[in-house]
């Protein structure tokens, strides 16, 4: 596949997937979702380890509001479908490979979903994490099952309500980040030296066993998808997002 939003390379049993939409702050659009699903499905057969990376300044900044605005302008009744993105996160959490998020720079909204769904999270000191959905009358319905699994209810609740950024050190203290250093490239290499020794059969068996211990992500799926669809179908939320794209003003700001 000719990827437009990703840069993909293999190094032995390791697949490196770099999010690459520099013109759009590494936001998530339909093409991005399609390409992530495609390569992760291939990795189920071809990779023991999957490493997700972004740009130095931004890992992933959540939904592409520009694309949503264009959709709603031409198709007001268009129904946003969050299932493909939720499926990507399920693949990272439950798939037959070790998923590693290598985080530098800003991570927001749906970007936090990629981090929370990964088996291992490595960051450098520039990493910052936030959930901005509540600023637009939304909430991170699909992110929360993965985030709560990682950091617990109250910390996920706090991030959702405050919409504030937390640093790499704070995220590490909370369990969202597993390890961080000033320069994370060396830290990533150290982890991969060990992870590449694991067999595909061993990883597959272990991930299947872990999934059997807690089926919360699958159980939460229908409720999360329904909540997400409802939020994005409300005209007041659509109008707030369209106004933000067109003017840069948040819903609470006067014209």
């Amino acid at each position: 596949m000719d990827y437009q939003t990703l840069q993909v390379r293999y190094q032995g049993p390791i697949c490196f997937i770099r999010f690459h939409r520099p013109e759009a702050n590494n936001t998530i659009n339909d093409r991005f979702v399609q390409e992530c699903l495609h390569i992760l499905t291939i990795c189920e057969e071809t990779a023991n380890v999957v490493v997700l990376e972004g740009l130095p300044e931004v890992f992933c900044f959540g939904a592409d509001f520009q694309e949503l605005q264009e959709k709603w302008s031409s198709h007001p009744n268009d129904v946003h479908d969050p299932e493909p993105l939720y499926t990507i996160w399920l693949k990272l959490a439950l798939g037959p490979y070790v998923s590693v998020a290598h985080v530098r720079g800003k991570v927001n909204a749906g970007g936090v979903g990629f981090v929370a769904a990964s088996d291992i999270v490595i960051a450098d000191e520039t990493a910052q994490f936030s959930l901005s959905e509540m600023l637009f009358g939304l909430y991170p319905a699909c992110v929360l099952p993965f985030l709560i699994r990682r950091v617990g209810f109250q910390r996920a609740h706090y991030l959702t309500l405050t919409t504030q950024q937390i640093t790499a050190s704070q995220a590490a203290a909370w369990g969202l980040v597993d390890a961080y250093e000033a320069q994370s490239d060396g830290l990533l290499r150290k982890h991969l030296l060990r992870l590449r020794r694991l067999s595909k059969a061993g990883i597959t068996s272990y991930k299947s066993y872990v999934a059997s211990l807690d089926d919360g992500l699958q159980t939460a799926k229908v409720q999360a998808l329904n909540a997400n669809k409802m939020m994005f179908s409300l005209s007041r939320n659509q109008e707030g997002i369209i106004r933000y794209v067109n003017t840069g003003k948040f819903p609470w700001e006067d014209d």
Side-chain angles (χ1 to χ4, degrees):
M1 186 172 181
D2 182 19
Y3 296 112
Q4 297 178 14
T5 68
L6 307 176
Q7 294 178 339
V8 177
R9 65 183 176 90
Y10 278 86
Q11 191 177 89
I14 304 170
C15 180
F16 291 85
I17 303 171
R18 184 182 300 277
F19 304 151
H20 194 257
R21 298 194 69 219
E23 77 290 351
N25 232 10
N26 267 8
T27 49
I28 302 166
N29 67 357
D30 287 347
R31 180 76 184 191
F32 178 94
V33 170
Q34 176 190 3
E35 291 182 355
C36 284
L37 276 173
H38 184 268
I39 186 58
L40 288 177
T41 300
I42 291 173
C43 285
E44 290 174 1
E45 301 296 331
T46 61
N48 293 8
V49 181
V50 172
V51 179
L52 304 179
E53 299 182 294
L55 302 170
E57 300 82 15
V58 58
F59 177 78
C60 176
F61 210 68
D64 185 342
F65 279 5
Q66 181 70 47
E67 182 180 75
L68 289 174
Q69 186 263 354
E70 292 169 359
K71 280 185 179 180
W72 291 330
S73 295
S74 56
H75 301 91
N77 296 321
D78 182 76
V79 178
H80 173 72
D81 183 11
E83 184 167 11
L85 184 57
Y86 198 96
T87 299
I88 289 171
W89 296 340
L90 282 177
K91 285 180 177 292
L92 293 172
L94 308 178
Y97 38 67
V98 179
S99 54
V100 180
H102 178 209
V103 183
R104 297 170 295 171
K106 295 180 180 179
V107 190
N108 181 57
V112 175
F114 281 95
V115 174
S118 296
D119 295 316
I120 296 172
V121 179
I122 294 168
D124 73 10
E125 290 181 345
T126 67
Q128 296 178 316
F129 305 84
S130 59
L131 296 174
S132 63
E133 288 90 341
M134 291 286 286
L135 297 176
F136 298 93
L138 310 169
Y139 54 89
C142 290
V143 174
L144 282 171
F146 298 88
L147 186 59
I148 290 171
R149 181 175 179 247
R150 254 207 171 259
V151 305
F153 172 80
Q154 185 55 38
R155 285 166 175 164
H157 189 50
Y158 177 84
L159 280 174
T160 301
L161 292 176
T162 64
T163 71
Q164 293 182 350
Q165 291 181 338
I166 61 170
T167 63
S169 61
Q170 183 77 69
W174 287 7
L176 181 57
V177 167
D178 295 302
Y180 77 100
E181 287 183 357
Q183 300 295 326
S184 56
D185 287 340
L187 186 61
L188 176 64
R189 284 194 295 271
K190 290 177 184 177
H191 279 77
L192 295 181
L193 283 173
R194 303 290 298 187
L195 293 173
R196 71 189 308 143
R197 297 175 181 173
L198 305 182
S199 71
K200 182 71 169 177
I203 293 168
T204 301
S205 178
Y206 170 69
K207 291 289 289 282
S208 177
Y209 170 68
V210 169
S212 74
L213 295 177
D214 180 7
D215 64 352
L217 297 178
Q218 293 283 12
T219 302
K221 181 179 178 180
V222 172
Q223 189 173 354
L225 298 182
N226 288 339
N228 188 284
K229 290 176 183 177
M230 178 274 294
M231 285 185 293
F232 280 93
S233 69
L234 293 176
S235 59
R236 67 172 183 271
N237 292 340
Q238 293 183 7
E239 290 164 4
I241 290 171
I242 291 170
R243 180 174 180 266
Y244 177 76
V245 171
N246 290 334
T247 69
K249 292 183 177 180
F250 289 99
W252 67 84
E253 296 181 295
D254 295 331
D255 290 323

